Amino acid sequence: MARQVAIEIDAALPADWEGVVALWEAVGLTRPWNDARADFDLALAGPASTILLAREGAALRGTVMVGFDGHRGWVYYLGVDPACRDAGIGRALMQASEQWLTARGCPKIQLMVRGSNAEARGFYEALGYDVQDVVTIGRRLDGRG
């Protein structure tokens, strides 16, 4: 049975970086070639992106990074404290992401999930997200990874 939690969602502040990055690391969202602190700082640096936090009282229970590139909305770093999984926090963060993007006139939301992450793919499918017929092509510009 899922644990009931009463959460509030608000935007991260610069002082939240340590707890946010710690949660990202605890749930396996970080990679050695990405600087999570730099990602956090960049998301808060301008009006086109933010990090939304789910808190139960003072305790950080979940995060999501959301941004609008002018054409599509993107979601990154959705993570929920493992002790609070199946309590609706991920769903609430995705709803808050959709509301944040809609308020900015964003017509579409997208995200990337590692192909091997069946749990995440099932979560998004349950929320009505579909696998898109696209191929992600990329190249590192920073010499990492």
Side-chain angles (χ1 to χ4, degrees):
M1 184 171 157
R3 175 168 107 75
Q4 295 295 329
V5 294
I7 60 162
E8 291 192 22
I9 296 176
D10 59 1
L13 299 172
D16 293 314
W17 78 268
E18 191 171 1
V20 169
V21 172
L23 179 63
W24 291 348
E25 290 173 348
V27 299
L29 294 175
T30 60
R31 293 296 180 260
W33 52 86
N34 289 340
D35 182 341
R37 172 66 197 269
D39 289 348
F40 177 94
D41 290 342
L42 190 57
L44 298 190
S49 58
T50 193
I51 298 171
L52 302 174
L53 307 180
R55 297 185 197 271
E56 180 183 25
L60 180 61
R61 299 298 188 205
T63 72
V64 66
M65 180 187 293
V66 61
F68 181 34
D69 66 14
H71 187 66
R72 291 181 180 92
W74 288 92
V75 169
Y76 304 93
Y77 287 112
L78 176 68
V80 174
D81 179 339
C84 298
R85 294 253 169 98
D86 297 323
I89 295 171
R91 179 180 294 273
L93 284 165
M94 286 304 295
Q95 289 172 341
S97 297
E98 292 172 2
Q99 291 167 355
W100 189 92
L101 290 165
T102 299
R104 286 153 181 80
C106 180
K108 183 178 182 182
I109 186 172
Q110 293 190 181
L111 52 103
M112 292 180 275
V113 175
R114 290 182 186 89
S116 62
N117 192 340
E119 182 181 9
R121 291 174 64 174
F123 167 76
Y124 290 113
E125 183 179 312
L127 295 181
Y129 285 75
D130 299 313
V131 173
Q132 310 262 301
D133 186 24
V134 296
V135 174
T136 302
I137 299 171
R139 179 179 182 183
R140 301 244 9 145
L141 300 175
D142 60 6
R144 296 180 179 188

